[in-house]
Amino acid sequence: LALYATVVYNVATSRSDVEMIFNTVILLFVNDLDEKLFMSLHVISPEWLEKITSEIVSSFNGDVRMNIQYARANHQFITEQTSKIVQIENKLAEKSNKIKAVDAKQEKMATKFNKKSNAIRTVEVKHEKLKTKVKGLKARHTTNNKKIKTLETKNQGLHKKVEQLESELEDLKAKFLKFLQTVEKH
């Protein structure tokens, strides 16, 4: 009767395999608790328990076979449900291990990502420093170009003065030679 009630209750109330297993575990717990209470009563008051048990057996009109069949069916049901629970626990353990492996891979990838991010930041800082140096070098280059142009302009002016001086020197040489010729003639 209890096995029938357990099966009917599970089929009627369970919407999924997980709920059925959950309900089965609860019913197994209650059944185990019932057996332990029966054992406790047997230790506390064996005479009273024997009297009550006899009354129950007599109420079934001595049909003990029904109780034995129920016990066998209940034991078989418990064994099947326990087996299913073990299978589910094994699957859960496998999934848990896979999740741990994925978490470990994710952790490694996060570490690599952080290292790469730090390397990128370092390169970016160096890049900014180099850009600053390049700006400084460009400014120096511009300043040097201006100085070169100024010096070239001065050089051209000096070159013109040198040409003028050379021309004047030639004129002076010519005048000096004329003067020497005039002095020699006189």
Side-chain angles (χ1 to χ4, degrees):
L1 183 62
L3 176 63
Y4 176 76
T6 301
V7 171
V8 170
Y9 172 78
N10 259 341
V11 170
T13 61
S14 300
R15 295 181 186 164
S16 68
D17 290 341
V18 174
E19 282 186 25
M20 186 173 286
I21 291 170
F22 181 75
N23 290 339
T24 302
V25 169
I26 291 173
L27 292 171
L28 289 173
F29 172 75
V30 169
N31 189 25
D32 187 49
L33 186 64
D34 180 53
E35 288 177 18
K36 292 203 184 326
L37 284 172
F38 184 82
M39 295 291 226
S40 299
L41 285 174
H42 184 67
V43 170
I44 294 171
S45 178
E47 297 85 18
W48 178 80
L49 188 62
E50 184 64 37
K51 178 183 165 195
I52 295 296
T53 307
S54 317
E55 287 176 11
I56 292 171
V57 168
S58 66
S59 70
F60 281 111
N61 296 326
D63 192 7
V64 180
R65 279 190 191 156
M66 183 179 201
N67 287 337
I68 292 172
Q69 287 174 347
Y70 164 74
R72 284 184 185 152
N74 193 25
H75 178 71
Q76 183 180 1
F77 178 74
I78 290 170
T79 303
E80 289 172 0
Q81 295 304 318
T82 303
S83 173
K84 287 180 181 179
I85 290 170
V86 167
Q87 288 174 355
I88 290 172
E89 286 175 345
N90 289 339
K91 287 180 182 177
L92 285 173
E94 285 177 26
K95 298 292 183 187
S96 177
N97 289 337
K98 287 180 181 178
I99 289 171
K100 287 178 184 176
V102 168
D103 285 345
K105 285 181 182 178
Q106 188 271 337
E107 189 67 31
K108 285 181 183 179
M109 290 177 76
T111 302
K112 284 182 181 180
F113 177 78
N114 288 337
K115 286 180 181 179
K116 298 291 182 185
S117 293
N118 290 337
I120 288 171
R121 279 189 223 113
T122 303
V123 168
E124 286 173 344
V125 168
K126 287 181 180 179
H127 177 71
E128 288 300 318
K129 286 180 181 178
L130 288 174
K131 280 172 60 177
T132 303
K133 282 184 179 181
V134 167
K135 284 180 183 177
L137 290 173
K138 283 182 179 180
R140 274 196 239 160
H141 179 70
T142 303
T143 303
N144 288 340
N145 279 344
K146 287 179 182 177
K147 286 180 182 179
I148 288 171
K149 285 182 182 179
T150 303
L151 289 173
E152 284 176 347
T153 304
K154 284 182 182 179
N155 191 24
Q156 286 175 356
L158 289 173
H159 187 59
K160 284 181 183 177
K161 282 185 181 179
V162 166
E163 286 177 354
Q164 278 179 345
L165 288 172
E166 284 177 347
S167 174
E168 286 175 15
L169 181 65
E170 287 298 319
D171 288 342
L172 282 174
K173 278 184 186 179
K175 284 182 186 179
F176 182 68
L177 284 174
K178 277 186 185 181
F179 174 72
L180 279 176
Q181 287 175 355
T182 321
V183 171
E184 283 182 5
K185 285 185 185 179
H186 290 7

